[in-house]
Amino acid sequence: MVTEWLMWQVGGLGPMLGQNHHFNRYAPEKIPYAIDRYVRETSRLYGVLDKRLEDRPFIAGDYSIADMACYPWIVPHEVQGQTLADFPNLHRWFDAIAARPATIAAYAKGAAVSQNQEADDEARRILFGQGTR
């Protein structure tokens, strides 16, 4: 069960929420259709997780790599146009993982090295402008 949910994250949650972030935060032109499409898909995927967590504390029952892989994608839920209160089981799961000592330590370590900068033109060129050559 862990592998199936890890693959769900790799094939669905990560790519779709990545598109949400791209069109909401990085795209030089705000395209309402794209933003709406990925905000709605994010909501759908949150709903899948919410349903999965209805009768278990973690995605595969016990805490696993599936939870570790999914959790960071939920952290920026507000930027993704989502309200965790709309997904009570997901919200409970999110709060439980956020309270884990290892999660707290990891995010503290990340904050110490994070630059939290908006991408400038050079960074955008590197992130989004490269082709095969």
Side-chain angles (χ1 to χ4, degrees):
M1 193 55 58
V2 172
T3 303
E4 288 93 346
W5 282 97
L6 182 59
M7 294 302 104
W8 178 83
Q9 184 279 323
V10 170
L13 189 70
M16 294 299 104
L17 275 57
Q19 292 299 312
N20 182 322
H21 292 185
H22 176 77
F23 286 106
N24 267 308
R25 298 183 75 188
Y26 300 112
E29 178 186 348
K30 298 301 179 197
I31 303 168
Y33 169 80
I35 292 169
D36 181 62
R37 190 252 184 275
Y38 289 108
V39 167
R40 285 186 294 111
E41 180 61 6
T42 298
S43 180
R44 187 187 74 76
L45 292 167
Y46 274 39
V48 169
L49 270 179
D50 191 66
K51 177 75 173 156
R52 176 65 184 171
L53 292 162
E54 191 171 69
D55 61 352
R56 57 187 50 88
F58 298 104
I59 296 170
D62 294 326
Y63 184 68
S64 71
I65 189 67
D67 301 286
M68 293 176 218
C70 290
Y71 175 81
W73 287 103
I74 309 301
V75 170
H77 56 272
E78 292 170 343
V79 172
Q80 298 164 359
Q82 305 302 310
T83 303
L84 288 184
D86 295 339
F87 307 94
N89 303 308
L90 178 63
H91 195 176
R92 173 197 39 81
W93 169 86
F94 180 84
D95 287 346
I97 293 177
R100 292 175 63 86
T103 303
I104 294 166
Y107 277 82
K109 185 172 268 193
V113 298
S114 176
Q115 297 176 6
N116 283 329
Q117 297 177 7
E118 281 294 316
D120 60 17
D121 288 340
E122 177 65 11
R124 285 178 188 275
R125 186 187 66 71
I126 292 168
L127 287 169
F128 308 118
Q130 294 187 29
T132 57
R133 294 179 188 225

